[in-house]
Amino acid sequence: MGLVQKLLTDPRIEALVKPELAVRSLLMRSRSASFATRLFWDGFDRPAYAYGVYQAAMQARMLGIGAISVAELGVASGDGLVALERIAGEVEDVTGTEIAVYGFDTGTGMPPPRDNRDLPYAWRESFYGMDEAALRARLRRSELVIGDVAETAPAFAAADRPPLGWAAVDVDYHSSTVATFPIFDADESRLLPRTLLHFDDVIGDERELHSPFAGQLAAIEGFNRSREQRKLAKVHALRHKRIVDAPWHDQLFVLHCFDHSRYGDYVYDAERELPA
Ligand SMILES: C[S@@+](CC[C@H](N)C(=O)[O-])C[C@H]1O[C@@H](n2cnc3c(N)ncnc32)[C@H](O)[C@@H]1O
């Protein structure tokens, strides 16, 4: 590969074309930038986690709910869960909302695929193994729930804990994603009126080729088809509100619980009137 070709395919060159990426990268390494500044510029290694957990904690605060749960469904070696713990601590500090952190995984990597909707051309049994002891040693505050989500999700849905405000759904398969849905069918006391969700496996690389007929997108479509009062929907035009364009804008969904008794409760400080 020639020098020019090498330069042009270096990911760092992107920061020259899109200066906001250079700002983001500086803020990711900053020790002094505020949470608000980093949130604005996506200055986190998991900006979707920071955005979602913060929005959930703010929703809870405006509703007078003192504590929420957040969860990573699909943990693997644990980098996401460790990042989530860090973000939860920062969000607690800036919002005053207490946050209980949970992580769910088989502990032994991907189970066998059920059928072609699990996209076995992209994922295989036992991918993403976990060294459970090593991960537990890294964790500071999470509850790690080991087992198939087909068994652990119904138990979590019914468990006595703060309402779920945010979750990363990162179990890859269609079948595993469907198995998490009891959490979203839970009693309203276990959910915020609008729980924010990050569905990781709706984009992927060029060979994953996601469509609404398989994988997580099909699971989401199936959820919406079979429920009247609960719907999973992307935040319309989210990217217009963000300074750094990023794939997570298309991975962020909200579970709207239209049957939640607090769905219509006002979530702003003051009246939203236009200036006279
Ligand atoms: C891509 S990895 C998760 C990566 C992690 N979220 C991160 O960002 O660091 C997917 C994980 O989902 C887990 N998984 C898939 N199906 C599952 C199921 N039915 N029950 C529990 N865990 C499952 C696998 O064990 C695997 O570790």
Side-chain angles (χ1 to χ4, degrees), residues 35-36 39 50-68 70 90-99 165-166 192-194 196 262 265-269:
F35 181 85
L39 192 65
Y51 179 87
V53 174
Y54 174 75
Q55 294 299 338
M58 281 306 291
Q59 186 188 144
R61 178 173 147 161
M62 298 318 293
L63 292 173
I65 296 169
I68 58 170
V70 300
E90 289 197 62
V91 171
E92 279 184 335
D93 290 344
V94 295
T95 65
T97 305
E98 279 178 37
I99 302 179
W166 178 89
L192 286 188
R194 292 164 297 282
L196 288 95
R262 306 212 52 199
D265 286 10
Y266 195 66
V267 288
Y268 291 85
D269 274 325

mmCIF file of all heavy atoms in Angstrom, residues 35-36 39 50-68 70 90-99 165-166 192-194 196 262 265-269:
data_model
loop_
_atom_site.group_PDB
_atom_site.id
_atom_site.type_symbol
_atom_site.label_atom_id
_atom_site.label_comp_id
_atom_site.label_asym_id
_atom_site.label_seq_id
_atom_site.Cartn_x
_atom_site.Cartn_y
_atom_site.Cartn_z
ATOM 1 N N PHE A 35 -18.930 16.560 33.333
ATOM 2 C CA PHE A 35 -19.793 15.530 32.757
ATOM 3 C C PHE A 35 -20.644 16.130 31.637
ATOM 4 O O PHE A 35 -20.793 15.545 30.565
ATOM 5 C CB PHE A 35 -20.690 14.919 33.847
ATOM 6 C CG PHE A 35 -21.587 13.836 33.332
ATOM 7 C CD1 PHE A 35 -21.128 12.527 33.225
ATOM 8 C CD2 PHE A 35 -22.897 14.115 32.942
ATOM 9 C CE1 PHE A 35 -21.959 11.525 32.718
ATOM 10 C CE2 PHE A 35 -23.715 13.118 32.442
ATOM 11 C CZ PHE A 35 -23.253 11.816 32.336
ATOM 12 N N ALA A 36 -21.188 17.337 31.884
ATOM 13 C CA ALA A 36 -22.067 17.969 30.889
ATOM 14 C C ALA A 36 -21.321 18.210 29.576
ATOM 15 O O ALA A 36 -21.858 17.956 28.490
ATOM 16 C CB ALA A 36 -22.611 19.277 31.440
ATOM 17 N N LEU A 39 -20.779 14.922 27.885
ATOM 18 C CA LEU A 39 -22.040 14.400 27.349
ATOM 19 C C LEU A 39 -22.377 15.087 26.026
ATOM 20 O O LEU A 39 -22.799 14.453 25.057
ATOM 21 C CB LEU A 39 -23.159 14.645 28.379
ATOM 22 C CG LEU A 39 -24.471 13.920 28.119
ATOM 23 C CD1 LEU A 39 -24.296 12.417 28.229
ATOM 24 C CD2 LEU A 39 -25.537 14.373 29.124
ATOM 25 N N ALA A 50 -23.673 6.662 28.292
ATOM 26 C CA ALA A 50 -23.711 7.897 29.077
ATOM 27 C C ALA A 50 -25.006 8.665 28.805
ATOM 28 O O ALA A 50 -25.688 9.119 29.729
ATOM 29 C CB ALA A 50 -22.497 8.760 28.746
ATOM 30 N N TYR A 51 -25.347 8.789 27.518
ATOM 31 C CA TYR A 51 -26.565 9.522 27.141
ATOM 32 C C TYR A 51 -27.803 8.853 27.742
ATOM 33 O O TYR A 51 -28.650 9.504 28.359
ATOM 34 C CB TYR A 51 -26.673 9.575 25.613
ATOM 35 C CG TYR A 51 -27.902 10.288 25.112
ATOM 36 C CD1 TYR A 51 -27.904 11.668 24.917
ATOM 37 C CD2 TYR A 51 -29.085 9.592 24.836
ATOM 38 C CE1 TYR A 51 -29.040 12.334 24.461
ATOM 39 C CE2 TYR A 51 -30.219 10.252 24.389
ATOM 40 C CZ TYR A 51 -30.185 11.616 24.196
ATOM 41 O OH TYR A 51 -31.312 12.266 23.757
ATOM 42 N N GLY A 52 -27.904 7.539 27.575
ATOM 43 C CA GLY A 52 -29.100 6.819 28.002
ATOM 44 C C GLY A 52 -29.262 6.800 29.511
ATOM 45 O O GLY A 52 -30.365 7.039 30.033
ATOM 46 N N VAL A 53 -28.182 6.551 30.229
ATOM 47 C CA VAL A 53 -28.264 6.488 31.694
ATOM 48 C C VAL A 53 -28.595 7.880 32.249
ATOM 49 O O VAL A 53 -29.422 8.024 33.150
ATOM 50 C CB VAL A 53 -26.953 5.929 32.304
ATOM 51 C CG1 VAL A 53 -26.996 5.999 33.826
ATOM 52 C CG2 VAL A 53 -26.720 4.492 31.838
ATOM 53 N N TYR A 54 -27.974 8.907 31.658
ATOM 54 C CA TYR A 54 -28.258 10.275 32.124
ATOM 55 C C TYR A 54 -29.726 10.639 31.878
ATOM 56 O O TYR A 54 -30.413 11.168 32.767
ATOM 57 C CB TYR A 54 -27.326 11.270 31.414
ATOM 58 C CG TYR A 54 -27.667 12.710 31.742
ATOM 59 C CD1 TYR A 54 -27.334 13.257 32.980
ATOM 60 C CD2 TYR A 54 -28.349 13.507 30.823
ATOM 61 C CE1 TYR A 54 -27.671 14.571 33.289
ATOM 62 C CE2 TYR A 54 -28.691 14.814 31.129
ATOM 63 C CZ TYR A 54 -28.352 15.347 32.354
ATOM 64 O OH TYR A 54 -28.694 16.636 32.668
ATOM 65 N N GLN A 55 -30.217 10.342 30.670
ATOM 66 C CA GLN A 55 -31.614 10.699 30.364
ATOM 67 C C GLN A 55 -32.579 9.950 31.274
ATOM 68 O O GLN A 55 -33.595 10.496 31.720
ATOM 69 C CB GLN A 55 -31.941 10.398 28.894
ATOM 70 C CG GLN A 55 -31.178 11.254 27.888
ATOM 71 C CD GLN A 55 -31.459 12.739 28.014
ATOM 72 O OE1 GLN A 55 -32.482 13.158 28.551
ATOM 73 N NE2 GLN A 55 -30.541 13.560 27.537
ATOM 74 N N ALA A 56 -32.264 8.691 31.563
ATOM 75 C CA ALA A 56 -33.131 7.902 32.444
ATOM 76 C C ALA A 56 -33.118 8.470 33.862
ATOM 77 O O ALA A 56 -34.167 8.614 34.506
ATOM 78 C CB ALA A 56 -32.670 6.448 32.441
ATOM 79 N N ALA A 57 -31.923 8.819 34.333
ATOM 80 C CA ALA A 57 -31.810 9.354 35.691
ATOM 81 C C ALA A 57 -32.532 10.697 35.799
ATOM 82 O O ALA A 57 -33.155 10.998 36.825
ATOM 83 C CB ALA A 57 -30.338 9.513 36.074
ATOM 84 N N MET A 58 -32.471 11.510 34.743
ATOM 85 C CA MET A 58 -33.176 12.796 34.751
ATOM 86 C C MET A 58 -34.686 12.585 34.724
ATOM 87 O O MET A 58 -35.437 13.288 35.409
ATOM 88 C CB MET A 58 -32.735 13.655 33.557
ATOM 89 C CG MET A 58 -31.412 14.346 33.766
ATOM 90 S SD MET A 58 -31.344 15.328 35.291
ATOM 91 C CE MET A 58 -32.480 16.667 34.906
ATOM 92 N N GLN A 59 -35.136 11.621 33.933
ATOM 93 C CA GLN A 59 -36.579 11.332 33.898
ATOM 94 C C GLN A 59 -37.052 10.950 35.305
ATOM 95 O O GLN A 59 -38.077 11.448 35.798
ATOM 96 C CB GLN A 59 -36.863 10.186 32.913
ATOM 97 C CG GLN A 59 -38.340 9.919 32.704
ATOM 98 C CD GLN A 59 -38.611 8.665 31.872
ATOM 99 O OE1 GLN A 59 -39.569 7.949 32.109
ATOM 100 N NE2 GLN A 59 -37.770 8.388 30.886
ATOM 101 N N ALA A 60 -36.271 10.069 35.957
ATOM 102 C CA ALA A 60 -36.637 9.638 37.308
ATOM 103 C C ALA A 60 -36.680 10.842 38.245
ATOM 104 O O ALA A 60 -37.629 11.010 39.018
ATOM 105 C CB ALA A 60 -35.633 8.596 37.801
ATOM 106 N N ARG A 61 -35.669 11.679 38.144
ATOM 107 C CA ARG A 61 -35.609 12.847 39.038
ATOM 108 C C ARG A 61 -36.832 13.746 38.855
ATOM 109 O O ARG A 61 -37.436 14.206 39.825
ATOM 110 C CB ARG A 61 -34.319 13.612 38.734
ATOM 111 C CG ARG A 61 -34.159 14.855 39.545
ATOM 112 C CD ARG A 61 -32.793 15.449 39.298
ATOM 113 N NE ARG A 61 -32.847 16.897 39.383
ATOM 114 C CZ ARG A 61 -31.794 17.656 39.574
ATOM 115 N NH1 ARG A 61 -30.604 17.122 39.664
ATOM 116 N NH2 ARG A 61 -31.925 18.948 39.636
ATOM 117 N N MET A 62 -37.197 13.984 37.600
ATOM 118 C CA MET A 62 -38.343 14.860 37.352
ATOM 119 C C MET A 62 -39.642 14.225 37.827
ATOM 120 O O MET A 62 -40.618 14.928 38.097
ATOM 121 C CB MET A 62 -38.445 15.222 35.859
ATOM 122 C CG MET A 62 -37.254 15.993 35.297
ATOM 123 S SD MET A 62 -36.611 17.295 36.342
ATOM 124 C CE MET A 62 -37.954 18.467 36.342
ATOM 125 N N LEU A 63 -39.649 12.907 37.929
ATOM 126 C CA LEU A 63 -40.853 12.213 38.405
ATOM 127 C C LEU A 63 -40.810 11.986 39.925
ATOM 128 O O LEU A 63 -41.707 11.345 40.477
ATOM 129 C CB LEU A 63 -40.996 10.865 37.686
ATOM 130 C CG LEU A 63 -41.308 10.951 36.180
ATOM 131 C CD1 LEU A 63 -41.249 9.568 35.533
ATOM 132 C CD2 LEU A 63 -42.686 11.574 35.939
ATOM 133 N N GLY A 64 -39.723 12.440 40.552
ATOM 134 C CA GLY A 64 -39.599 12.246 41.994
ATOM 135 C C GLY A 64 -39.298 10.801 42.364
ATOM 136 O O GLY A 64 -39.577 10.360 43.478
ATOM 137 N N ILE A 65 -38.699 10.066 41.428
ATOM 138 C CA ILE A 65 -38.311 8.669 41.700
ATOM 139 C C ILE A 65 -36.827 8.691 42.073
ATOM 140 O O ILE A 65 -35.997 9.146 41.284
ATOM 141 C CB ILE A 65 -38.558 7.784 40.451
ATOM 142 C CG1 ILE A 65 -40.061 7.738 40.129
ATOM 143 C CG2 ILE A 65 -37.984 6.380 40.629
ATOM 144 C CD1 ILE A 65 -40.397 7.114 38.777
ATOM 145 N N GLY A 66 -36.492 8.214 43.274
ATOM 146 C CA GLY A 66 -35.144 8.423 43.796
ATOM 147 C C GLY A 66 -34.083 7.476 43.269
ATOM 148 O O GLY A 66 -32.885 7.767 43.346
ATOM 149 N N ALA A 67 -34.506 6.337 42.720
ATOM 150 C CA ALA A 67 -33.511 5.335 42.287
ATOM 151 C C ALA A 67 -34.001 4.595 41.055
ATOM 152 O O ALA A 67 -35.207 4.380 40.884
ATOM 153 C CB ALA A 67 -33.258 4.338 43.424
ATOM 154 N N ILE A 68 -33.054 4.239 40.197
ATOM 155 C CA ILE A 68 -33.391 3.427 39.019
ATOM 156 C C ILE A 68 -32.426 2.248 38.941
ATOM 157 O O ILE A 68 -31.365 2.241 39.588
ATOM 158 C CB ILE A 68 -33.300 4.231 37.688
ATOM 159 C CG1 ILE A 68 -31.881 4.813 37.481
ATOM 160 C CG2 ILE A 68 -34.348 5.315 37.626
ATOM 161 C CD1 ILE A 68 -31.648 5.403 36.087
ATOM 162 N N VAL A 70 -30.188 0.008 36.048
ATOM 163 C CA VAL A 70 -29.699 -0.033 34.666
ATOM 164 C C VAL A 70 -29.062 -1.406 34.466
ATOM 165 O O VAL A 70 -28.592 -2.015 35.435
ATOM 166 C CB VAL A 70 -28.688 1.099 34.350
ATOM 167 C CG1 VAL A 70 -29.314 2.465 34.546
ATOM 168 C CG2 VAL A 70 -27.418 0.970 35.185
ATOM 169 N N GLU A 90 -20.951 8.565 37.834
ATOM 170 C CA GLU A 90 -20.941 9.984 37.448
ATOM 171 C C GLU A 90 -22.352 10.530 37.354
ATOM 172 O O GLU A 90 -22.625 11.668 37.753
ATOM 173 C CB GLU A 90 -20.238 10.154 36.094
ATOM 174 C CG GLU A 90 -18.748 9.925 36.151
ATOM 175 C CD GLU A 90 -18.064 10.498 34.917
ATOM 176 O OE1 GLU A 90 -18.129 11.722 34.714
ATOM 177 O OE2 GLU A 90 -17.476 9.710 34.150
ATOM 178 N N VAL A 91 -23.264 9.722 36.805
ATOM 179 C CA VAL A 91 -24.649 10.196 36.643
ATOM 180 C C VAL A 91 -25.307 10.372 38.006
ATOM 181 O O VAL A 91 -26.060 11.329 38.221
ATOM 182 C CB VAL A 91 -25.450 9.240 35.725
ATOM 183 C CG1 VAL A 91 -26.927 9.597 35.720
ATOM 184 C CG2 VAL A 91 -24.899 9.274 34.303
ATOM 185 N N GLU A 92 -25.002 9.503 38.934
ATOM 186 C CA GLU A 92 -25.532 9.681 40.302
ATOM 187 C C GLU A 92 -25.092 11.029 40.854
ATOM 188 O O GLU A 92 -25.884 11.762 41.449
ATOM 189 C CB GLU A 92 -24.998 8.574 41.221
ATOM 190 C CG GLU A 92 -25.753 7.279 41.106
ATOM 191 C CD GLU A 92 -25.269 6.223 42.110
ATOM 192 O OE1 GLU A 92 -24.101 6.292 42.543
ATOM 193 O OE2 GLU A 92 -26.052 5.349 42.445
ATOM 194 N N ASP A 93 -23.822 11.347 40.653
ATOM 195 C CA ASP A 93 -23.289 12.605 41.191
ATOM 196 C C ASP A 93 -23.985 13.824 40.591
ATOM 197 O O ASP A 93 -24.256 14.788 41.296
ATOM 198 C CB ASP A 93 -21.779 12.723 40.920
ATOM 199 C CG ASP A 93 -20.993 11.720 41.758
ATOM 200 O OD1 ASP A 93 -21.563 11.174 42.723
ATOM 201 O OD2 ASP A 93 -19.813 11.471 41.425
ATOM 202 N N VAL A 94 -24.256 13.794 39.269
ATOM 203 C CA VAL A 94 -24.814 15.009 38.658
ATOM 204 C C VAL A 94 -26.339 15.077 38.754
ATOM 205 O O VAL A 94 -26.899 16.167 38.654
ATOM 206 C CB VAL A 94 -24.384 15.208 37.175
ATOM 207 C CG1 VAL A 94 -22.896 15.433 37.071
ATOM 208 C CG2 VAL A 94 -24.828 14.065 36.286
ATOM 209 N N THR A 95 -27.013 13.960 38.937
ATOM 210 C CA THR A 95 -28.483 14.002 38.963
ATOM 211 C C THR A 95 -29.064 13.766 40.353
ATOM 212 O O THR A 95 -30.222 14.093 40.602
ATOM 213 C CB THR A 95 -29.092 12.934 38.025
ATOM 214 O OG1 THR A 95 -28.742 11.634 38.526
ATOM 215 C CG2 THR A 95 -28.615 13.103 36.595
ATOM 216 N N GLY A 96 -28.299 13.122 41.227
ATOM 217 C CA GLY A 96 -28.826 12.771 42.542
ATOM 218 C C GLY A 96 -29.682 11.520 42.530
ATOM 219 O O GLY A 96 -30.171 11.083 43.568
ATOM 220 N N THR A 97 -29.888 10.916 41.352
ATOM 221 C CA THR A 97 -30.661 9.669 41.270
ATOM 222 C C THR A 97 -29.739 8.491 41.581
ATOM 223 O O THR A 97 -28.655 8.382 40.984
ATOM 224 C CB THR A 97 -31.239 9.489 39.838
ATOM 225 O OG1 THR A 97 -32.002 10.647 39.511
ATOM 226 C CG2 THR A 97 -32.108 8.247 39.740
ATOM 227 N N GLU A 98 -30.164 7.636 42.500
ATOM 228 C CA GLU A 98 -29.354 6.440 42.803
ATOM 229 C C GLU A 98 -29.518 5.414 41.683
ATOM 230 O O GLU A 98 -30.597 5.274 41.116
ATOM 231 C CB GLU A 98 -29.812 5.808 44.110
ATOM 232 C CG GLU A 98 -29.252 6.501 45.335
ATOM 233 C CD GLU A 98 -29.778 5.871 46.609
ATOM 234 O OE1 GLU A 98 -29.949 4.636 46.648
ATOM 235 O OE2 GLU A 98 -30.044 6.642 47.540
ATOM 236 N N ILE A 99 -28.429 4.667 41.400
ATOM 237 C CA ILE A 99 -28.472 3.735 40.270
ATOM 238 C C ILE A 99 -27.949 2.362 40.696
ATOM 239 O O ILE A 99 -26.819 2.234 41.166
ATOM 240 C CB ILE A 99 -27.636 4.287 39.090
ATOM 241 C CG1 ILE A 99 -28.169 5.672 38.684
ATOM 242 C CG2 ILE A 99 -27.680 3.326 37.905
ATOM 243 C CD1 ILE A 99 -27.423 6.336 37.549
ATOM 244 N N GLY A 165 -34.424 1.960 34.122
ATOM 245 C CA GLY A 165 -34.426 3.214 33.371
ATOM 246 C C GLY A 165 -33.683 3.107 32.058
ATOM 247 O O GLY A 165 -33.962 3.840 31.106
ATOM 248 N N TRP A 166 -32.727 2.177 32.023
ATOM 249 C CA TRP A 166 -31.897 2.052 30.813
ATOM 250 C C TRP A 166 -31.341 0.631 30.757
ATOM 251 O O TRP A 166 -31.022 0.046 31.802
ATOM 252 C CB TRP A 166 -30.724 3.053 30.876
ATOM 253 C CG TRP A 166 -29.807 2.956 29.697
ATOM 254 C CD1 TRP A 166 -29.922 3.640 28.522
ATOM 255 C CD2 TRP A 166 -28.652 2.125 29.556
ATOM 256 N NE1 TRP A 166 -28.901 3.280 27.672
ATOM 257 C CE2 TRP A 166 -28.114 2.359 28.284
ATOM 258 C CE3 TRP A 166 -28.022 1.201 30.389
ATOM 259 C CZ2 TRP A 166 -26.975 1.716 27.812
ATOM 260 C CZ3 TRP A 166 -26.888 0.553 29.921
ATOM 261 C CH2 TRP A 166 -26.371 0.814 28.648
ATOM 262 N N LEU A 192 -39.490 2.589 34.250
ATOM 263 C CA LEU A 192 -39.867 3.991 34.100
ATOM 264 C C LEU A 192 -40.964 4.043 33.035
ATOM 265 O O LEU A 192 -41.096 3.126 32.222
ATOM 266 C CB LEU A 192 -38.663 4.829 33.638
ATOM 267 C CG LEU A 192 -37.569 5.137 34.671
ATOM 268 C CD1 LEU A 192 -36.571 6.139 34.095
ATOM 269 C CD2 LEU A 192 -38.141 5.656 35.984
ATOM 270 N N PRO A 193 -41.722 5.120 32.978
ATOM 271 C CA PRO A 193 -42.719 5.231 31.903
ATOM 272 C C PRO A 193 -42.075 5.089 30.528
ATOM 273 O O PRO A 193 -42.640 4.494 29.613
ATOM 274 C CB PRO A 193 -43.301 6.632 32.095
ATOM 275 C CG PRO A 193 -43.032 6.982 33.532
ATOM 276 C CD PRO A 193 -41.772 6.256 33.925
ATOM 277 N N ARG A 194 -40.853 5.635 30.405
ATOM 278 C CA ARG A 194 -40.094 5.516 29.150
ATOM 279 C C ARG A 194 -38.690 5.035 29.498
ATOM 280 O O ARG A 194 -37.879 5.798 30.013
ATOM 281 C CB ARG A 194 -40.042 6.872 28.414
ATOM 282 C CG ARG A 194 -41.403 7.319 27.882
ATOM 283 C CD ARG A 194 -41.463 8.779 27.508
ATOM 284 N NE ARG A 194 -41.259 9.669 28.633
ATOM 285 C CZ ARG A 194 -42.194 9.965 29.553
ATOM 286 N NH1 ARG A 194 -43.407 9.459 29.461
ATOM 287 N NH2 ARG A 194 -41.910 10.755 30.572
ATOM 288 N N LEU A 196 -35.041 3.779 28.426
ATOM 289 C CA LEU A 196 -34.170 3.914 27.247
ATOM 290 C C LEU A 196 -33.375 2.631 27.046
ATOM 291 O O LEU A 196 -32.890 2.032 28.021
ATOM 292 C CB LEU A 196 -33.222 5.109 27.431
ATOM 293 C CG LEU A 196 -33.947 6.456 27.306
ATOM 294 C CD1 LEU A 196 -34.354 6.986 28.667
ATOM 295 C CD2 LEU A 196 -33.095 7.471 26.581
ATOM 296 N N ARG A 262 -47.852 6.727 35.152
ATOM 297 C CA ARG A 262 -47.146 8.005 35.206
ATOM 298 C C ARG A 262 -46.662 8.453 33.826
ATOM 299 O O ARG A 262 -45.879 9.393 33.723
ATOM 300 C CB ARG A 262 -45.972 7.885 36.180
ATOM 301 C CG ARG A 262 -46.452 7.382 37.556
ATOM 302 C CD ARG A 262 -45.669 7.912 38.690
ATOM 303 N NE ARG A 262 -45.554 9.359 38.689
ATOM 304 C CZ ARG A 262 -44.619 10.008 39.369
ATOM 305 N NH1 ARG A 262 -43.768 9.343 40.107
ATOM 306 N NH2 ARG A 262 -44.550 11.327 39.329
ATOM 307 N N ASP A 265 -47.113 12.163 33.181
ATOM 308 C CA ASP A 265 -46.656 13.148 34.172
ATOM 309 C C ASP A 265 -45.601 14.073 33.558
ATOM 310 O O ASP A 265 -44.660 13.616 32.895
ATOM 311 C CB ASP A 265 -46.068 12.448 35.404
ATOM 312 C CG ASP A 265 -47.149 11.823 36.273
ATOM 313 O OD1 ASP A 265 -48.312 11.768 35.824
ATOM 314 O OD2 ASP A 265 -46.830 11.379 37.381
ATOM 315 N N TYR A 266 -45.767 15.353 33.824
ATOM 316 C CA TYR A 266 -44.903 16.402 33.253
ATOM 317 C C TYR A 266 -43.455 16.229 33.733
ATOM 318 O O TYR A 266 -43.219 15.973 34.919
ATOM 319 C CB TYR A 266 -45.458 17.747 33.724
ATOM 320 C CG TYR A 266 -44.955 18.951 32.981
ATOM 321 C CD1 TYR A 266 -45.263 19.150 31.648
ATOM 322 C CD2 TYR A 266 -44.186 19.915 33.636
ATOM 323 C CE1 TYR A 266 -44.818 20.276 30.971
ATOM 324 C CE2 TYR A 266 -43.738 21.043 32.970
ATOM 325 C CZ TYR A 266 -44.058 21.217 31.640
ATOM 326 O OH TYR A 266 -43.619 22.336 30.982
ATOM 327 N N VAL A 267 -42.483 16.344 32.837
ATOM 328 C CA VAL A 267 -41.096 16.078 33.234
ATOM 329 C C VAL A 267 -40.162 17.283 33.029
ATOM 330 O O VAL A 267 -38.967 17.116 32.796
ATOM 331 C CB VAL A 267 -40.523 14.836 32.502
ATOM 332 C CG1 VAL A 267 -41.136 13.558 33.027
ATOM 333 C CG2 VAL A 267 -40.678 14.952 30.997
ATOM 334 N N TYR A 268 -40.738 18.480 33.094
ATOM 335 C CA TYR A 268 -39.904 19.677 33.004
ATOM 336 C C TYR A 268 -40.035 20.483 34.297
ATOM 337 O O TYR A 268 -41.012 20.324 35.026
ATOM 338 C CB TYR A 268 -40.318 20.537 31.797
ATOM 339 C CG TYR A 268 -39.986 19.862 30.484
ATOM 340 C CD1 TYR A 268 -40.866 18.950 29.922
ATOM 341 C CD2 TYR A 268 -38.793 20.110 29.847
ATOM 342 C CE1 TYR A 268 -40.559 18.306 28.730
ATOM 343 C CE2 TYR A 268 -38.466 19.481 28.660
ATOM 344 C CZ TYR A 268 -39.359 18.578 28.096
ATOM 345 O OH TYR A 268 -39.046 17.947 26.937
ATOM 346 N N ASP A 269 -39.049 21.356 34.532
ATOM 347 C CA ASP A 269 -39.048 22.166 35.747
ATOM 348 C C ASP A 269 -40.144 23.215 35.744
ATOM 349 O O ASP A 269 -40.822 23.425 36.718
ATOM 350 C CB ASP A 269 -37.717 22.926 35.860
ATOM 351 C CG ASP A 269 -36.675 22.059 36.536
ATOM 352 O OD1 ASP A 269 -37.042 21.297 37.419
ATOM 353 O OD2 ASP A 269 -35.496 22.154 36.135
#
